[in-house]
Amino acid sequence: MIKFTINNIELEAEEGTTILEAANEAGIKIPTLCYHKDLKPYGACRLCMVEITKRGWPSLQPACTYMVFDGLIVETDTERVIKSRKVIFELLLARCPDSENIKKLAAEYGVIETRITLADPENCAMCGLCVRVCAEISQREAISFAFRGDKRVVQTAFDKMSPQCVGCGACAYVCPTGRITVEEADD
């Protein structure tokens, strides 16, 4: 067993356990948007950033992808961590102004408004849950990310109806913003 601390609480976990998994097991809340227990860790949303100390040097790391090791020191609520999360929530509120889930999570950190204005908010957090569930669980790969930077979107190949899509609705089920909806097909 690996011994480490989170918020001055001594814990033990199996090798290969992430900080987020260990924290959840210990009842320590770390916010996340892109994490799902049935999918591979991705680290896209950056809400789960925690401050770790390694060889005496602190750094911010995503709890969902960072594995625990003997002697690891983790802090989930330092000033640096909270400031980082608040900035991320502002960005998310700018991208997803209509998402009740984002508003609720942001409010927990005292973020009610954003200083950032986007010309065309997408209401998509770019968390990748929909893309990952389609590939890893449904094994269809009907949707994926397209383009880069601020042009990045989730779409089907060539933005046309995908023959790989079986209409399972898994993408809509995991979408934390409510951006993806399932529509009944007219036959």
Side-chain angles (χ1 to χ4, degrees):
M1 293 293 272
I2 296 170
K3 295 180 180 186
F4 57 98
T5 64
I6 299 180
N7 297 342
N8 296 317
I9 301 168
E10 292 185 16
L11 300 170
E12 290 184 356
E14 298 280 333
E15 186 174 345
T17 302
T18 65
I19 293 171
L20 184 62
E21 291 166 336
N24 286 342
E25 186 71 27
I28 300 167
K29 186 177 178 187
I30 297 175
T32 185
L33 206 58
C34 68
Y35 175 79
H36 191 284
K37 65 181 179 59
D38 295 325
L39 299 173
K40 294 175 191 159
Y42 189 57
C45 73
R46 295 309 211 217
L47 285 175
C48 71
M49 297 298 270
V50 294
E51 191 164 336
I52 68 153
T53 303
K54 187 175 181 179
R55 294 187 206 113
W57 293 96
S59 67
L60 292 180
Q61 298 293 332
C64 68
T65 60
Y66 202 91
M67 302 296 173
V68 296
F69 59 84
D70 273 322
L72 176 66
I73 299 169
V74 180
E75 295 293 332
T76 66
D77 56 2
T78 64
E79 185 178 329
R80 187 176 176 196
V81 168
I82 301 301
K83 186 176 181 179
S84 169
R85 288 183 188 153
K86 284 182 175 187
V87 169
I88 293 167
F89 277 125
E90 281 200 63
L91 291 167
L92 287 169
L93 283 174
R95 280 194 67 83
C96 310
D98 300 327
S99 171
E100 292 304 318
N101 188 33
I102 299 291
K103 289 178 191 177
K104 181 183 167 206
L105 285 169
E108 289 177 20
Y109 281 82
V111 180
I112 308 300
E113 299 180 336
T114 179
R115 298 168 286 176
I116 303 158
T117 304
L118 296 179
D120 189 21
E122 297 284 326
N123 281 314
C124 175
M126 291 292 158
C127 67
L129 281 173
C130 59
V131 172
R132 293 165 40 229
V133 77
C134 189
E136 294 177 31
I137 304 296
S138 301
Q139 298 185 337
R140 304 303 297 183
E141 297 183 351
I143 56 176
S144 63
F145 286 112
F147 311 112
R148 292 179 177 207
D150 65 346
K151 306 273 189 270
R152 191 172 194 187
V153 294
V154 173
Q155 68 180 36
T156 57
F158 306 107
D159 207 17
K160 304 223 184 277
M161 182 61 188
S162 174
Q164 285 84 13
C165 181
V166 293
C168 69
C171 54
Y173 178 76
V174 298
C175 179
T177 65
R179 170 76 165 95
I180 299 176
T181 56
V182 177
E183 297 177 14
E184 292 293 322
D186 294 329
D187 288 328

